[in-house]
Amino acid sequence: MASTRKRLEALTAGLSIPEPVPAAAPVSVSMTPAPPALPGAAPVALETRFPPAQTGQPAPRTGPGQMLAFRGQMQAVEGELAALRERLRQHDGSTPTRKIDPATIRASRWANRHPASFESAEFAGLKADIELAGGNVQPILVRPLVDEPGQYELVFGHRRHRACLELGIPVLAAIWLDELGDAELFAAMDRENRERADLSPYEQGVMYQRALEEQLFPTQRQLAEKLGVSHTWIRKALMVAQLPSAVLECFRSPLEVQHRHAEQLNAALDKDRRSVLKRAEKVRGMKLAPAAVVARLQGLEAVAKAEKLTIVNDGKTVGSCLRAPDGTVTLTLTSGAVSGLTPDILLKSVGETLQKVRMLG
């Protein structure tokens, strides 16, 4: 025991114990070298001082005690770092999401939403849902603009972004931090739209047409392969977008044009283009239902048949929707059935029914 004590005293004989530093005071280690010795002067003895361990307890008075306290501090720091690494590992591969000012987000150059889509009953219903929830539950996807810090480009979620912008509330966004080129952005936007099935054939076709015109994809085949869809799907979408403007103007909105309409009209145009365009001059502005427009442009008489659909909320019929042969739509609500519904819920049910009417047209 005595020999051990003597060895410790010998090891620490050259160390001096500094005065304890209060816990609140910052600790700094000076690395200033000693001044150079003057010629002929005796060498200056250098003294090494170690800052005391900050443990919240009185600093040890001996060198070995301070070394043990410092080692304990290092072990505590290592444990905290290990815990932080584990928390980061749990989020590895995830995309961060946060609330962003919608004014800092700009539409992509590949934006595929027609202005009419923001004036529809479906958009009004979506906007009402977001307002009721206090924000969008399903995040949009954005990528940072490298040359403009704090600004973002929208990948997908144009309607959710527009709704939050008009409501004046932050939009929940997932931020893509990895490399994302234009082709990958285009594919992600198209995949999200097809999975949600809320993009009209015309909007889809215009999106594909723009990508081909700007050489984002050199051929329809490469476009189809990149998007993972059939060549037939691409061809049908392009067929809608490539209808003559005089024909598209015959519809109340190009969003009403379905693939089957485009196929019938393109067949008529191939057969007698001049006659179809001549009929279009008379049909334009009549605001007929899509089926009636196609029949008139083909030189056929539209079948005088009214269609009736029920308006349903939570499995319960709350009214009906009647569409006349000329495209006029009449909504009838059952007073007893809608008395307990809020305007937002009722608007959503009506919007869903009108969407069915459009698809039938």
Side-chain angles (χ1 to χ4, degrees):
M1 184 70 179
S3 61
T4 301
R5 182 171 182 177
K6 288 181 179 180
R7 285 199 298 271
L8 288 174
E9 289 177 349
L11 289 172
T12 59
L15 297 177
S16 62
I17 307 302
E19 292 298 325
V21 180
V27 178
S28 61
V29 179
S30 175
M31 301 298 292
T32 305
L38 297 176
V44 179
L46 298 180
E47 182 180 34
T48 303
R49 290 175 175 267
F50 295 95
Q54 301 298 315
T55 62
Q57 301 294 331
R61 301 295 298 176
T62 65
Q66 286 192 346
M67 293 175 66
L68 290 174
F70 180 72
R71 181 182 179 186
Q73 274 190 324
M74 292 299 297
Q75 289 176 338
V77 170
E78 290 174 357
E80 184 176 355
L81 287 175
L84 290 173
R85 290 193 192 99
E86 176 60 22
R87 291 180 62 183
L88 287 174
R89 186 189 67 78
Q90 295 175 0
H91 296 280
D92 186 32
S94 62
T95 302
T97 61
R98 66 185 180 91
K99 294 280 189 177
I100 297 179
D101 181 357
T104 65
I105 303 172
R106 67 182 60 175
S108 167
R109 60 183 295 197
W110 311 110
N112 46 25
R113 288 292 176 185
H114 189 273
S117 66
F118 299 110
E119 302 171 358
S120 64
E122 293 86 349
F123 177 72
L126 173 66
K127 184 177 175 180
D129 285 344
I130 291 177
E131 184 176 21
L132 186 64
N136 56 308
V137 178
Q138 183 71 24
I140 65 174
L141 181 65
V142 300
R143 66 174 177 179
L145 292 173
V146 179
D147 299 331
E148 301 180 47
Q151 302 293 312
Y152 303 89
E153 180 182 6
L154 191 53
V155 178
F156 59 69
H158 290 78
R159 294 198 307 164
R160 281 163 279 166
H161 168 256
R162 178 70 169 267
C164 290
L165 183 64
E166 292 184 1
L167 291 170
I169 60 176
V171 59
L172 179 64
I175 305 172
W176 190 277
L177 299 178
D178 296 332
E179 181 69 23
L180 184 65
D182 284 345
E184 287 73 22
L185 182 150
F186 185 93
M189 182 187 302
D190 177 75
R191 181 169 53 252
E192 199 264 354
N193 285 325
R194 282 187 287 108
E195 289 175 353
R196 294 173 64 88
D198 63 352
L199 199 67
S200 71
Y202 175 76
E203 291 170 313
Q204 199 90 57
V206 169
M207 178 182 176
Y208 295 161
Q209 182 70 22
R210 185 181 302 133
L212 291 170
E213 289 176 349
E214 299 193 18
Q215 291 294 301
L216 184 62
F217 303 98
T219 66
Q220 293 186 29
R221 179 177 294 276
Q222 293 182 19
L223 172 61
E225 291 175 353
K226 180 64 177 181
L227 302 183
V229 298
S230 67
H231 301 159
T232 302
W233 171 264
I234 298 294
R235 180 183 62 79
K236 287 184 176 181
L238 290 173
M239 189 180 294
V240 177
Q242 293 171 354
L243 285 171
S245 58
V247 171
L248 290 172
E249 290 170 1
C250 293
F251 294 87
R252 292 167 298 192
S253 167
L255 305 184
E256 294 183 329
V257 184
Q258 302 298 314
H259 292 142
R260 65 180 183 277
H261 300 150
E263 290 178 349
Q264 295 169 1
L265 291 172
N266 272 286
L269 287 165
D270 290 340
K271 184 177 180 180
D272 190 351
R273 185 181 186 88
R274 182 176 179 181
S275 296
V276 173
L277 296 179
K278 188 174 181 179
R279 296 186 195 107
E281 296 177 2
K282 298 179 180 179
V283 177
R284 189 186 302 120
M286 295 180 67
K287 297 185 178 180
L288 301 175
V293 171
V294 175
R296 292 289 185 92
L297 292 177
Q298 289 177 302
L300 305 174
E301 289 295 331
V303 179
K305 178 183 176 182
E307 294 176 306
K308 185 176 182 180
L309 297 174
T310 56
I311 303 174
V312 181
N313 176 70
D314 197 20
K316 180 181 178 182
T317 300
V318 297
S320 62
C321 176
L322 181 67
R323 187 185 66 174
D326 63 354
T328 303
V329 175
T330 303
L331 299 174
T332 303
L333 301 178
T334 306
S335 59
V338 301
S339 58
L341 301 179
T342 64
D344 293 335
I345 294 177
L346 183 59
L347 182 61
K348 181 179 179 181
S349 299
V350 172
E352 292 172 350
T353 304
L354 292 176
Q355 174 70 8
K356 295 178 182 177
V357 171
R358 191 186 77 174
M359 295 298 292
L360 289 174

